[in-house]
Amino acid sequence: MKLADNKATLSFSNGTPSVDLPVYHGNVGPDVVDIRKLYAQTGMFTYDPGFLSTASCQSAITYIDGDKGELLYRGYPIEQLATNCDFMETCHLLLYGNLPDAAGKADFTKRVTQHTMVNEQMQFFLRGFRRDAHPMAIMTGLVGALSAFYHDSTDINNPEHREISAIRLIAKMPTLVAMAYKYSMGQPYMYPKNNLSYAGNFMHMMFATPCEEYVVNPVIERALDRIFVLHADHEQNASTSTVRLCGSSGTNPFAAIAAGVACLWGPAHGGANEACLNMLEDIQRMGGISKVGEFMNQVKDKNSSVKLMGFGHRVYKNYDPRAKLMQETCKEVLAALGLENDPLFKLAMALEKIALEDDYFVQRKLYPNVDFYSGIVQRAIGIPVSLFTAIFALARTVGWIAQLNEMIGDPEYKIGRPRQLFTGAVKRDVVPIGQR
Ligand code: SDX
């Protein structure tokens, strides 16, 4: 970051001496006012619950321009990556900062492929869950449990440990998600097959059985790979910030990623794809497109807690570029499967059209986000609704790791420890119980 010529001067109307705060430029995007010395100089904190105006770190990984609806991974527009690259190339880009050449891609893919199996003991963790346990409950447990198997690589300050942990987590997430699915189905787990692509291997572990050969559908394989690319990273979102804060204590990478899985589960975040599909099915059950107006009235009624799931975003005040690409992927997959008339897809497009013309949404700059169409395409592929967020976690693992490793690799990093504005009881003495 570069020190700007101008500075910020904070002055107080009560005569408290003003303070000068340095301003820094990034390479693109908003400048920052450096408040690191504010408390020492003024005895005051800043106040920003929800971090609406706070940069928690400097990063070179992902850049979002919310007004333009622009998303760049290491400078490359998501539209170009989603059409010209695959998930392995994207993982290499996010982790190391560059797109690999053919040899580099083959080497990276081989390293990932060689770590796709999990310890046989992992299957016994699943037995502790009910068969109808939510897959994200299982994933939160399994990812954290991985740290029990890799005592050789849990020192986050050791670059070699960070590297092998990154490879292991990227490689094993599909295996764990597929195991969670098979467990819910009461079917045997399928071992990874090293001759398949990353997405193809995931499909095989999900949908194959020991009873017959499984043939990967290349259209679905490509669609899944693109879904992984679109979900791979997204700046300092809630789950990435959770991973950074968790990792800042020096805990091992598996524990930090498990914290990210837990945070992503929420319906305001990664859980929105599941919530959006359930919302579409509810509207469909109520009567479909004819009931959209009634539903929208509930959404606009401040007293109802109803939200149009898959819409709105803290950063995007324009169309989420991932939503556009996901809608295209929807069309491709539905056409390939002969489901062009999928009622939920038609309902989603009708909802989008109505919302984008409605003043409530226009005024608040609410547009479809990545979660609005992702559920429809995953459902068409045969992925159960409850597994959608686990797929999101599978794809976002590379982004979480890249961001964690960037933080740990920054010599300036410290343990994250925010303060507060205290509004509770001031000091008072305990009264003995007999006198209370
Ligand atoms: C993801 O941060 C990331 O980058 C996340 C993510 C990633 O890749 O990591 O992009 C993934 O989490 C996408 C978001 C998925 N969540 C949803 O689709 C759930 C529905 N969306 C909302 O809950 C909401 O839009 C958030 C949580 C996404 C953003 O919330 P903000 O930024 O805190 O905005 P807000 O709640 O203050 O909303 C501003 C106004 C409010 O109305 P007023 O109080 O001004 O009258 O817009 C309204 C909100 O009520 N609003 C919505 C709405 N989203 C916001 N009203 C109806 N439906 C919605 N979806």
Side-chain angles (χ1 to χ4, degrees), residues 50 52 64 71 230-240 264 266-273 275-276 299-300 302 306-317 320 322 360-361 364-367 369-372 392 396 400:
L52 288 139
I64 302 171
L71 168 59
L230 294 178
H231 286 86
D233 193 48
H234 212 241
E235 201 215 67
Q236 304 311 319
N237 59 83
S239 53
T240 297
L264 186 76
H269 192 11
N273 52 21
C276 180
V299 168
K300 293 184 278 187
K302 290 312 288 174
V306 175
K307 286 197 184 294
L308 181 55
M309 301 311 281
F311 255 72
H313 200 276
R314 172 62 57 77
V315 178
Y316 288 121
K317 300 310 170 191
D320 182 335
R322 301 169 298 175
Y360 174 93
F361 291 83
R364 293 169 176 79
K365 297 185 179 180
L366 302 176
Y367 291 85
N369 60 50
V370 68
D371 293 310
F372 191 62
F392 193 150
R396 184 53 60 88
W400 287 332

Short mmCIF file of all heavy atoms in Angstrom, two decimals, residues 50 52 64 71 230-240 264 266-273 275-276 299-300 302 306-317 320 322 360-361 364-367 369-372 392 396 400, ligand 1:
data_model
loop_
_atom_site.label_atom_id
_atom_site.label_comp_id
_atom_site.label_asym_id
_atom_site.label_seq_id
_atom_site.Cartn_x
_atom_site.Cartn_y
_atom_site.Cartn_z
N GLY A 50 -20.69 -4.64 12.06
CA GLY A 50 -21.01 -5.11 10.70
C GLY A 50 -19.95 -4.68 9.71
O GLY A 50 -19.97 -5.08 8.54
N LEU A 52 -19.21 -1.92 8.05
CA LEU A 52 -19.69 -1.31 6.81
C LEU A 52 -18.64 -0.41 6.18
O LEU A 52 -18.60 -0.21 4.98
CB LEU A 52 -20.97 -0.52 7.11
CG LEU A 52 -22.19 -1.40 7.41
CD1 LEU A 52 -23.00 -0.84 8.55
CD2 LEU A 52 -23.05 -1.53 6.17
N ILE A 64 -13.40 -6.51 -5.61
CA ILE A 64 -14.80 -6.37 -6.00
C ILE A 64 -15.10 -4.88 -6.16
O ILE A 64 -14.78 -4.09 -5.27
CB ILE A 64 -15.76 -6.93 -4.92
CG1 ILE A 64 -15.48 -8.40 -4.62
CG2 ILE A 64 -17.22 -6.73 -5.33
CD1 ILE A 64 -16.25 -8.92 -3.40
N LEU A 71 -15.90 -8.35 -10.48
CA LEU A 71 -15.21 -9.28 -9.58
C LEU A 71 -13.95 -9.79 -10.27
O LEU A 71 -14.03 -10.32 -11.39
CB LEU A 71 -16.13 -10.46 -9.23
CG LEU A 71 -15.51 -11.68 -8.52
CD1 LEU A 71 -14.88 -11.28 -7.19
CD2 LEU A 71 -16.56 -12.76 -8.32
N LEU A 230 -16.93 -20.05 -9.63
CA LEU A 230 -17.71 -18.85 -9.26
C LEU A 230 -17.75 -18.65 -7.75
O LEU A 230 -17.94 -17.54 -7.27
CB LEU A 230 -19.13 -18.95 -9.81
CG LEU A 230 -19.28 -18.92 -11.33
CD1 LEU A 230 -20.74 -19.09 -11.73
CD2 LEU A 230 -18.72 -17.62 -11.90
N HIS A 231 -17.58 -19.74 -6.99
CA HIS A 231 -17.69 -19.64 -5.52
C HIS A 231 -16.33 -19.60 -4.82
O HIS A 231 -16.27 -19.59 -3.60
CB HIS A 231 -18.48 -20.84 -4.97
CG HIS A 231 -19.95 -20.78 -5.23
ND1 HIS A 231 -20.50 -21.24 -6.41
CD2 HIS A 231 -20.98 -20.31 -4.50
CE1 HIS A 231 -21.82 -21.07 -6.37
NE2 HIS A 231 -22.14 -20.51 -5.22
N ALA A 232 -15.24 -19.57 -5.61
CA ALA A 232 -13.92 -19.85 -5.03
C ALA A 232 -13.44 -18.81 -4.03
O ALA A 232 -12.82 -19.15 -3.03
CB ALA A 232 -12.89 -19.99 -6.16
N ASP A 233 -13.68 -17.53 -4.27
CA ASP A 233 -13.25 -16.52 -3.31
C ASP A 233 -14.09 -15.26 -3.47
O ASP A 233 -14.72 -15.06 -4.51
CB ASP A 233 -11.76 -16.17 -3.48
CG ASP A 233 -11.24 -15.35 -2.29
OD1 ASP A 233 -11.50 -15.77 -1.15
OD2 ASP A 233 -10.64 -14.29 -2.51
N HIS A 234 -14.12 -14.42 -2.44
CA HIS A 234 -14.93 -13.21 -2.56
C HIS A 234 -14.54 -12.16 -1.54
O HIS A 234 -15.37 -11.68 -0.78
CB HIS A 234 -16.42 -13.55 -2.43
CG HIS A 234 -17.27 -12.62 -3.26
ND1 HIS A 234 -18.23 -11.80 -2.72
CD2 HIS A 234 -17.28 -12.39 -4.58
CE1 HIS A 234 -18.81 -11.10 -3.68
NE2 HIS A 234 -18.24 -11.43 -4.82
N GLU A 235 -13.24 -11.77 -1.52
CA GLU A 235 -12.75 -10.69 -0.66
C GLU A 235 -13.00 -11.01 0.81
O GLU A 235 -12.91 -12.19 1.21
CB GLU A 235 -13.44 -9.37 -1.11
CG GLU A 235 -12.74 -8.09 -0.72
CD GLU A 235 -13.73 -6.99 -0.39
OE1 GLU A 235 -14.44 -7.14 0.62
OE2 GLU A 235 -13.81 -6.01 -1.15
N GLN A 236 -13.36 -10.04 1.64
CA GLN A 236 -13.40 -10.25 3.09
C GLN A 236 -14.84 -10.48 3.57
O GLN A 236 -15.30 -9.88 4.52
CB GLN A 236 -12.77 -9.04 3.80
CG GLN A 236 -11.35 -8.72 3.34
CD GLN A 236 -10.44 -9.94 3.33
OE1 GLN A 236 -10.47 -10.78 4.24
NE2 GLN A 236 -9.65 -10.09 2.28
N ASN A 237 -15.54 -11.45 2.93
CA ASN A 237 -16.91 -11.79 3.35
C ASN A 237 -16.89 -12.40 4.75
O ASN A 237 -15.83 -12.62 5.33
CB ASN A 237 -17.49 -12.77 2.33
CG ASN A 237 -16.65 -14.01 2.22
OD1 ASN A 237 -16.78 -14.93 3.01
ND2 ASN A 237 -15.72 -14.02 1.27
N ALA A 238 -18.08 -12.67 5.28
CA ALA A 238 -18.18 -13.09 6.69
C ALA A 238 -17.36 -14.33 6.99
O ALA A 238 -16.63 -14.38 7.98
CB ALA A 238 -19.65 -13.32 7.03
N SER A 239 -17.45 -15.35 6.14
CA SER A 239 -16.74 -16.61 6.47
C SER A 239 -15.23 -16.45 6.27
O SER A 239 -14.44 -16.98 7.05
CB SER A 239 -17.27 -17.75 5.60
OG SER A 239 -17.23 -17.43 4.23
N THR A 240 -14.81 -15.66 5.28
CA THR A 240 -13.38 -15.43 5.10
C THR A 240 -12.82 -14.62 6.27
O THR A 240 -11.75 -14.92 6.80
CB THR A 240 -13.13 -14.71 3.78
OG1 THR A 240 -13.56 -15.55 2.71
CG2 THR A 240 -11.67 -14.36 3.59
N LEU A 264 -20.29 -19.94 7.12
CA LEU A 264 -20.92 -19.95 5.79
C LEU A 264 -22.33 -20.53 5.85
O LEU A 264 -23.20 -20.16 5.05
CB LEU A 264 -20.07 -20.78 4.83
CG LEU A 264 -20.51 -20.77 3.37
CD1 LEU A 264 -20.14 -19.45 2.68
CD2 LEU A 264 -19.88 -21.94 2.61
N GLY A 266 -24.84 -19.95 7.62
CA GLY A 266 -25.95 -19.02 7.90
C GLY A 266 -26.73 -18.61 6.66
O GLY A 266 -26.13 -18.41 5.60
N PRO A 267 -28.07 -18.45 6.77
CA PRO A 267 -28.90 -18.10 5.61
C PRO A 267 -28.61 -16.71 5.05
O PRO A 267 -28.93 -16.42 3.91
CB PRO A 267 -30.33 -18.18 6.15
CG PRO A 267 -30.21 -18.12 7.61
CD PRO A 267 -28.88 -18.68 7.98
N ALA A 268 -27.97 -15.84 5.85
CA ALA A 268 -27.62 -14.52 5.30
C ALA A 268 -26.38 -14.62 4.42
O ALA A 268 -26.04 -13.68 3.69
CB ALA A 268 -27.38 -13.53 6.43
N HIS A 269 -25.69 -15.75 4.50
CA HIS A 269 -24.41 -15.95 3.78
C HIS A 269 -24.54 -17.15 2.85
O HIS A 269 -25.45 -17.18 2.03
CB HIS A 269 -23.31 -16.10 4.84
CG HIS A 269 -21.90 -16.03 4.32
ND1 HIS A 269 -21.54 -15.64 3.07
CD2 HIS A 269 -20.74 -16.34 4.95
CE1 HIS A 269 -20.23 -15.68 2.94
NE2 HIS A 269 -19.71 -16.12 4.07
N GLY A 270 -23.73 -18.13 3.00
CA GLY A 270 -23.75 -19.26 2.07
C GLY A 270 -25.00 -20.11 2.16
O GLY A 270 -25.35 -20.82 1.22
N GLY A 271 -25.71 -20.03 3.27
CA GLY A 271 -26.94 -20.81 3.44
C GLY A 271 -28.08 -20.26 2.60
O GLY A 271 -29.16 -20.83 2.52
N ALA A 272 -27.84 -19.13 1.92
CA ALA A 272 -28.90 -18.48 1.14
C ALA A 272 -29.30 -19.31 -0.07
O ALA A 272 -30.45 -19.24 -0.52
CB ALA A 272 -28.46 -17.09 0.70
N ASN A 273 -28.37 -20.12 -0.62
CA ASN A 273 -28.75 -20.90 -1.81
C ASN A 273 -29.81 -21.94 -1.45
O ASN A 273 -30.79 -22.15 -2.16
CB ASN A 273 -27.53 -21.52 -2.49
CG ASN A 273 -26.63 -22.32 -1.55
OD1 ASN A 273 -27.06 -22.74 -0.49
ND2 ASN A 273 -25.39 -22.50 -1.96
N ALA A 275 -31.81 -21.65 1.20
CA ALA A 275 -33.01 -20.88 1.58
C ALA A 275 -33.74 -20.37 0.33
O ALA A 275 -34.97 -20.33 0.27
CB ALA A 275 -32.60 -19.70 2.46
N CYS A 276 -32.98 -20.03 -0.71
CA CYS A 276 -33.59 -19.50 -1.95
C CYS A 276 -34.38 -20.60 -2.65
O CYS A 276 -35.53 -20.39 -3.06
CB CYS A 276 -32.49 -18.97 -2.86
SG CYS A 276 -33.11 -18.30 -4.40
N VAL A 299 -42.45 -9.43 1.30
CA VAL A 299 -41.03 -9.04 1.35
C VAL A 299 -40.92 -7.55 1.67
O VAL A 299 -40.08 -7.12 2.46
CB VAL A 299 -40.35 -9.34 -0.01
CG1 VAL A 299 -38.98 -8.69 -0.10
CG2 VAL A 299 -40.23 -10.85 -0.23
N LYS A 300 -41.83 -6.75 1.10
CA LYS A 300 -41.74 -5.29 1.28
C LYS A 300 -42.38 -4.83 2.58
O LYS A 300 -42.26 -3.68 2.98
CB LYS A 300 -42.39 -4.59 0.07
CG LYS A 300 -41.59 -4.82 -1.21
CD LYS A 300 -42.16 -4.05 -2.37
CE LYS A 300 -43.32 -4.76 -3.01
NZ LYS A 300 -43.78 -4.10 -4.25
N LYS A 302 -42.32 -4.29 6.18
CA LYS A 302 -41.27 -4.20 7.22
C LYS A 302 -41.58 -5.11 8.40
O LYS A 302 -40.69 -5.53 9.11
CB LYS A 302 -41.12 -2.76 7.72
CG LYS A 302 -40.51 -1.78 6.76
CD LYS A 302 -39.26 -2.24 6.07
CE LYS A 302 -38.03 -2.30 6.92
NZ LYS A 302 -36.87 -2.89 6.20
N VAL A 306 -39.80 -11.61 6.02
CA VAL A 306 -39.58 -12.31 4.74
C VAL A 306 -38.60 -11.53 3.87
O VAL A 306 -38.75 -10.33 3.68
CB VAL A 306 -40.93 -12.47 3.99
CG1 VAL A 306 -40.71 -13.09 2.61
CG2 VAL A 306 -41.88 -13.32 4.81
N LYS A 307 -37.58 -12.22 3.39
CA LYS A 307 -36.63 -11.61 2.46
C LYS A 307 -36.65 -12.38 1.16
O LYS A 307 -37.01 -13.56 1.12
CB LYS A 307 -35.22 -11.64 3.06
CG LYS A 307 -34.96 -10.64 4.18
CD LYS A 307 -33.48 -10.45 4.40
CE LYS A 307 -33.17 -9.53 5.56
NZ LYS A 307 -33.60 -8.13 5.34
N LEU A 308 -36.31 -11.70 0.07
CA LEU A 308 -36.17 -12.38 -1.21
C LEU A 308 -34.77 -13.00 -1.21
O LEU A 308 -33.78 -12.34 -1.51
CB LEU A 308 -36.34 -11.39 -2.36
CG LEU A 308 -36.23 -11.96 -3.78
CD1 LEU A 308 -37.22 -13.11 -3.98
CD2 LEU A 308 -36.49 -10.88 -4.82
N MET A 309 -34.70 -14.27 -0.81
CA MET A 309 -33.39 -14.92 -0.66
C MET A 309 -32.68 -15.01 -2.00
O MET A 309 -33.30 -15.20 -3.03
CB MET A 309 -33.56 -16.32 -0.06
CG MET A 309 -34.24 -16.32 1.30
SD MET A 309 -33.51 -15.13 2.44
CE MET A 309 -32.07 -16.05 2.98
N GLY A 310 -31.37 -14.81 -1.98
CA GLY A 310 -30.62 -14.79 -3.23
C GLY A 310 -30.56 -13.41 -3.83
O GLY A 310 -29.99 -13.21 -4.90
N PHE A 311 -31.17 -12.45 -3.12
CA PHE A 311 -31.12 -11.05 -3.58
C PHE A 311 -30.40 -10.18 -2.55
O PHE A 311 -30.44 -10.47 -1.35
CB PHE A 311 -32.56 -10.52 -3.75
CG PHE A 311 -32.98 -10.40 -5.19
CD1 PHE A 311 -33.24 -11.55 -5.94
CD2 PHE A 311 -33.11 -9.16 -5.80
CE1 PHE A 311 -33.64 -11.45 -7.27
CE2 PHE A 311 -33.51 -9.06 -7.13
CZ PHE A 311 -33.78 -10.21 -7.86
N GLY A 312 -29.78 -9.13 -3.00
CA GLY A 312 -29.12 -8.19 -2.10
C GLY A 312 -27.70 -8.61 -1.80
O GLY A 312 -27.35 -9.78 -1.88
N HIS A 313 -26.90 -7.61 -1.43
CA HIS A 313 -25.49 -7.90 -1.13
C HIS A 313 -24.88 -6.68 -0.44
O HIS A 313 -25.21 -5.56 -0.76
CB HIS A 313 -24.72 -8.19 -2.43
CG HIS A 313 -23.44 -8.93 -2.20
ND1 HIS A 313 -22.28 -8.30 -1.85
CD2 HIS A 313 -23.16 -10.25 -2.23
CE1 HIS A 313 -21.31 -9.20 -1.69
NE2 HIS A 313 -21.82 -10.40 -1.92
N ARG A 314 -23.99 -6.94 0.53
CA ARG A 314 -23.36 -5.84 1.23
C ARG A 314 -22.50 -5.00 0.29
O ARG A 314 -22.45 -3.78 0.40
CB ARG A 314 -22.47 -6.40 2.35
CG ARG A 314 -21.59 -5.38 3.06
CD ARG A 314 -22.37 -4.33 3.76
NE ARG A 314 -23.32 -4.85 4.73
CZ ARG A 314 -22.97 -5.29 5.94
NH1 ARG A 314 -21.70 -5.33 6.29
NH2 ARG A 314 -23.89 -5.72 6.79
N VAL A 315 -21.89 -5.65 -0.69
CA VAL A 315 -20.95 -4.90 -1.55
C VAL A 315 -21.56 -4.60 -2.90
O VAL A 315 -21.54 -3.46 -3.37
CB VAL A 315 -19.63 -5.69 -1.74
CG1 VAL A 315 -18.68 -4.96 -2.67
CG2 VAL A 315 -18.96 -5.95 -0.39
N TYR A 316 -22.19 -5.58 -3.55
CA TYR A 316 -22.74 -5.34 -4.88
C TYR A 316 -23.97 -4.44 -4.79
O TYR A 316 -24.95 -4.80 -4.14
CB TYR A 316 -23.14 -6.65 -5.56
CG TYR A 316 -21.97 -7.49 -6.00
CD1 TYR A 316 -21.81 -8.79 -5.53
CD2 TYR A 316 -21.01 -6.98 -6.88
CE1 TYR A 316 -20.73 -9.55 -5.92
CE2 TYR A 316 -19.92 -7.75 -7.27
CZ TYR A 316 -19.79 -9.03 -6.79
OH TYR A 316 -18.71 -9.80 -7.17
N LYS A 317 -23.89 -3.29 -5.40
CA LYS A 317 -25.09 -2.43 -5.56
C LYS A 317 -25.42 -2.38 -7.04
O LYS A 317 -25.91 -1.42 -7.57
CB LYS A 317 -24.80 -1.05 -4.99
CG LYS A 317 -24.45 -1.09 -3.49
CD LYS A 317 -25.44 -1.89 -2.65
CE LYS A 317 -24.99 -2.13 -1.22
NZ LYS A 317 -25.84 -3.12 -0.52
N ASP A 320 -24.71 -8.93 -9.37
CA ASP A 320 -23.56 -9.79 -9.03
C ASP A 320 -23.13 -10.52 -10.30
O ASP A 320 -23.93 -11.29 -10.87
CB ASP A 320 -24.02 -10.79 -7.95
CG ASP A 320 -22.91 -11.72 -7.46
OD1 ASP A 320 -21.95 -11.95 -8.22
OD2 ASP A 320 -23.04 -12.22 -6.34
N ARG A 322 -21.50 -12.99 -10.81
CA ARG A 322 -21.59 -14.46 -10.69
C ARG A 322 -23.03 -14.94 -10.96
O ARG A 322 -23.26 -16.04 -11.45
CB ARG A 322 -21.14 -14.88 -9.29
CG ARG A 322 -19.72 -14.47 -8.93
CD ARG A 322 -19.44 -14.67 -7.46
NE ARG A 322 -20.31 -13.82 -6.64
CZ ARG A 322 -20.34 -13.89 -5.30
NH1 ARG A 322 -19.55 -14.72 -4.66
NH2 ARG A 322 -21.16 -13.12 -4.61
N TYR A 360 -39.05 -0.74 -4.52
CA TYR A 360 -38.45 -1.17 -3.25
C TYR A 360 -37.05 -1.70 -3.50
O TYR A 360 -36.10 -1.37 -2.80
CB TYR A 360 -39.32 -2.25 -2.61
CG TYR A 360 -38.72 -2.88 -1.37
CD1 TYR A 360 -39.01 -2.39 -0.10
CD2 TYR A 360 -37.85 -3.97 -1.48
CE1 TYR A 360 -38.45 -2.95 1.03
CE2 TYR A 360 -37.27 -4.53 -0.34
CZ TYR A 360 -37.58 -4.03 0.90
OH TYR A 360 -37.02 -4.58 2.03
N PHE A 361 -36.89 -2.51 -4.54
CA PHE A 361 -35.60 -3.12 -4.83
C PHE A 361 -34.67 -2.14 -5.54
O PHE A 361 -33.47 -2.10 -5.26
CB PHE A 361 -35.80 -4.39 -5.68
CG PHE A 361 -36.45 -5.51 -4.92
CD1 PHE A 361 -37.82 -5.55 -4.78
CD2 PHE A 361 -35.69 -6.47 -4.29
CE1 PHE A 361 -38.44 -6.56 -4.03
CE2 PHE A 361 -36.28 -7.50 -3.54
CZ PHE A 361 -37.67 -7.53 -3.42
N ARG A 364 -33.22 0.35 -3.09
CA ARG A 364 -32.22 -0.25 -2.19
C ARG A 364 -31.09 -0.94 -2.96
O ARG A 364 -30.23 -1.58 -2.36
CB ARG A 364 -32.91 -1.25 -1.25
CG ARG A 364 -33.85 -0.58 -0.26
CD ARG A 364 -34.72 -1.58 0.46
NE ARG A 364 -35.54 -0.93 1.47
CZ ARG A 364 -36.67 -0.27 1.20
NH1 ARG A 364 -37.09 -0.17 -0.09
NH2 ARG A 364 -37.37 0.30 2.16
N LYS A 365 -31.10 -0.82 -4.27
CA LYS A 365 -30.06 -1.43 -5.13
C LYS A 365 -29.90 -2.91 -4.82
O LYS A 365 -28.79 -3.39 -4.53
CB LYS A 365 -28.72 -0.69 -4.96
CG LYS A 365 -28.81 0.78 -5.41
CD LYS A 365 -27.47 1.48 -5.37
CE LYS A 365 -27.60 2.92 -5.86
NZ LYS A 365 -26.29 3.63 -5.81
N LEU A 366 -31.04 -3.60 -4.82
CA LEU A 366 -31.03 -5.05 -4.54
C LEU A 366 -31.08 -5.82 -5.85
O LEU A 366 -32.00 -5.65 -6.63
CB LEU A 366 -32.24 -5.43 -3.66
CG LEU A 366 -32.33 -4.70 -2.31
CD1 LEU A 366 -33.61 -5.09 -1.59
CD2 LEU A 366 -31.12 -5.01 -1.44
N TYR A 367 -30.07 -6.61 -6.09
CA TYR A 367 -29.98 -7.40 -7.33
C TYR A 367 -29.76 -8.86 -6.96
O TYR A 367 -29.38 -9.18 -5.83
CB TYR A 367 -28.79 -6.91 -8.17
CG TYR A 367 -28.96 -5.52 -8.75
CD1 TYR A 367 -28.64 -4.38 -8.02
CD2 TYR A 367 -29.46 -5.35 -10.04
CE1 TYR A 367 -28.80 -3.10 -8.55
CE2 TYR A 367 -29.62 -4.07 -10.58
CZ TYR A 367 -29.30 -2.96 -9.83
OH TYR A 367 -29.47 -1.70 -10.36
N ASN A 369 -27.89 -12.22 -6.32
CA ASN A 369 -26.50 -12.51 -6.00
C ASN A 369 -26.18 -13.95 -6.40
O ASN A 369 -27.02 -14.63 -6.99
CB ASN A 369 -26.24 -12.26 -4.50
CG ASN A 369 -27.11 -13.12 -3.61
OD1 ASN A 369 -27.18 -14.33 -3.80
ND2 ASN A 369 -27.81 -12.51 -2.68
N VAL A 370 -25.02 -14.42 -6.04
CA VAL A 370 -24.54 -15.73 -6.51
C VAL A 370 -25.51 -16.85 -6.13
O VAL A 370 -25.60 -17.88 -6.80
CB VAL A 370 -23.14 -16.02 -5.95
CG1 VAL A 370 -23.18 -16.23 -4.43
CG2 VAL A 370 -22.49 -17.19 -6.65
N ASP A 371 -26.26 -16.63 -5.04
CA ASP A 371 -27.11 -17.72 -4.53
C ASP A 371 -28.47 -17.83 -5.21
O ASP A 371 -29.22 -18.77 -4.93
CB ASP A 371 -27.33 -17.52 -3.02
CG ASP A 371 -26.02 -17.72 -2.26
OD1 ASP A 371 -25.36 -18.74 -2.50
OD2 ASP A 371 -25.65 -16.82 -1.49
N PHE A 372 -28.79 -16.86 -6.10
CA PHE A 372 -30.17 -16.86 -6.61
C PHE A 372 -30.41 -17.99 -7.60
O PHE A 372 -31.45 -18.64 -7.58
CB PHE A 372 -30.48 -15.51 -7.27
CG PHE A 372 -31.94 -15.32 -7.60
CD1 PHE A 372 -32.90 -15.31 -6.59
CD2 PHE A 372 -32.37 -15.19 -8.92
CE1 PHE A 372 -34.25 -15.15 -6.88
CE2 PHE A 372 -33.72 -15.03 -9.23
CZ PHE A 372 -34.66 -15.01 -8.20
N PHE A 392 -20.92 -25.11 -1.68
CA PHE A 392 -20.35 -23.74 -1.59
C PHE A 392 -19.06 -23.80 -0.75
O PHE A 392 -18.03 -23.27 -1.11
CB PHE A 392 -21.38 -22.80 -0.93
CG PHE A 392 -21.09 -21.33 -1.05
CD1 PHE A 392 -22.13 -20.41 -1.08
CD2 PHE A 392 -19.80 -20.83 -1.07
CE1 PHE A 392 -21.88 -19.03 -1.17
CE2 PHE A 392 -19.53 -19.47 -1.16
CZ PHE A 392 -20.58 -18.57 -1.20
N ARG A 396 -15.32 -22.78 -1.76
CA ARG A 396 -14.73 -21.61 -1.09
C ARG A 396 -13.49 -21.97 -0.27
O ARG A 396 -12.72 -21.09 0.12
CB ARG A 396 -15.79 -20.96 -0.18
CG ARG A 396 -15.40 -19.68 0.52
CD ARG A 396 -14.87 -18.58 -0.38
NE ARG A 396 -15.78 -18.14 -1.39
CZ ARG A 396 -16.69 -17.18 -1.23
NH1 ARG A 396 -16.85 -16.61 -0.07
NH2 ARG A 396 -17.46 -16.81 -2.22
N TRP A 400 -10.60 -19.43 1.21
CA TRP A 400 -10.31 -19.31 2.64
C TRP A 400 -8.83 -19.55 2.92
O TRP A 400 -8.19 -18.80 3.65
CB TRP A 400 -11.13 -20.32 3.44
CG TRP A 400 -12.59 -20.02 3.57
CD1 TRP A 400 -13.18 -18.79 3.55
CD2 TRP A 400 -13.65 -20.96 3.71
NE1 TRP A 400 -14.56 -18.92 3.69
CE2 TRP A 400 -14.87 -20.24 3.80
CE3 TRP A 400 -13.71 -22.36 3.80
CZ2 TRP A 400 -16.11 -20.86 3.97
CZ3 TRP A 400 -14.94 -22.98 3.97
CH2 TRP A 400 -16.12 -22.24 4.05
C1 SDX B 1 -23.33 -14.36 0.06
O1 SDX B 1 -20.19 -10.88 1.55
C2 SDX B 1 -20.08 -11.68 0.53
O2 SDX B 1 -19.29 -11.49 -0.36
C3 SDX B 1 -20.97 -12.89 0.61
C4 SDX B 1 -21.00 -13.78 -0.67
C5 SDX B 1 -19.70 -14.50 -0.87
O3 SDX B 1 -19.44 -14.89 -2.01
O4 SDX B 1 -18.99 -14.75 0.14
O5 SDX B 1 -21.30 -12.98 -1.81
C6 SDX B 1 -22.07 -14.86 -0.54
O6 SDX B 1 -23.48 -14.47 1.25
C7 SDX B 1 -24.34 -13.66 -0.82
C8 SDX B 1 -25.54 -13.09 0.00
C9 SDX B 1 -26.52 -14.26 0.23
N1 SDX B 1 -27.60 -13.83 1.17
C10 SDX B 1 -28.86 -13.71 0.73
O7 SDX B 1 -29.22 -13.82 -0.46
C11 SDX B 1 -29.86 -13.45 1.85
C12 SDX B 1 -30.78 -12.29 1.46
N2 SDX B 1 -30.00 -11.05 1.45
C13 SDX B 1 -30.01 -10.21 2.62
O8 SDX B 1 -30.08 -10.92 3.84
C14 SDX B 1 -28.99 -9.08 2.55
O9 SDX B 1 -29.10 -8.53 1.30
C15 SDX B 1 -27.51 -9.37 2.83
C16 SDX B 1 -27.32 -10.06 4.13
C17 SDX B 1 -26.93 -10.19 1.73
C18 SDX B 1 -26.81 -8.01 2.88
O10 SDX B 1 -27.31 -7.35 3.97
P1 SDX B 1 -26.81 -5.87 4.36
O11 SDX B 1 -25.68 -5.44 3.51
O12 SDX B 1 -26.61 -5.83 5.83
O13 SDX B 1 -28.00 -4.96 3.94
P2 SDX B 1 -29.29 -4.67 4.81
O14 SDX B 1 -29.79 -5.93 5.44
O15 SDX B 1 -29.00 -3.51 5.70
O16 SDX B 1 -30.33 -4.27 3.68
C19 SDX B 1 -30.48 -2.92 3.26
C20 SDX B 1 -31.98 -2.79 2.99
C21 SDX B 1 -32.85 -3.14 4.20
O17 SDX B 1 -34.07 -2.44 4.06
P3 SDX B 1 -34.26 -1.01 4.93
O18 SDX B 1 -33.98 -1.35 6.38
O19 SDX B 1 -33.24 -0.06 4.34
O20 SDX B 1 -35.68 -0.60 4.65
O21 SDX B 1 -32.38 -3.71 1.95
C22 SDX B 1 -33.31 -4.66 2.49
C23 SDX B 1 -33.17 -4.60 3.99
O22 SDX B 1 -34.40 -5.00 4.62
N3 SDX B 1 -32.93 -5.96 1.94
C24 SDX B 1 -33.78 -6.86 1.49
C25 SDX B 1 -32.99 -7.93 1.04
N4 SDX B 1 -31.70 -7.65 1.24
C26 SDX B 1 -31.67 -6.44 1.82
N5 SDX B 1 -35.14 -6.86 1.42
C27 SDX B 1 -35.69 -7.95 0.88
N6 SDX B 1 -35.01 -9.03 0.40
C28 SDX B 1 -33.65 -9.05 0.48
N7 SDX B 1 -32.98 -10.11 0.03
#
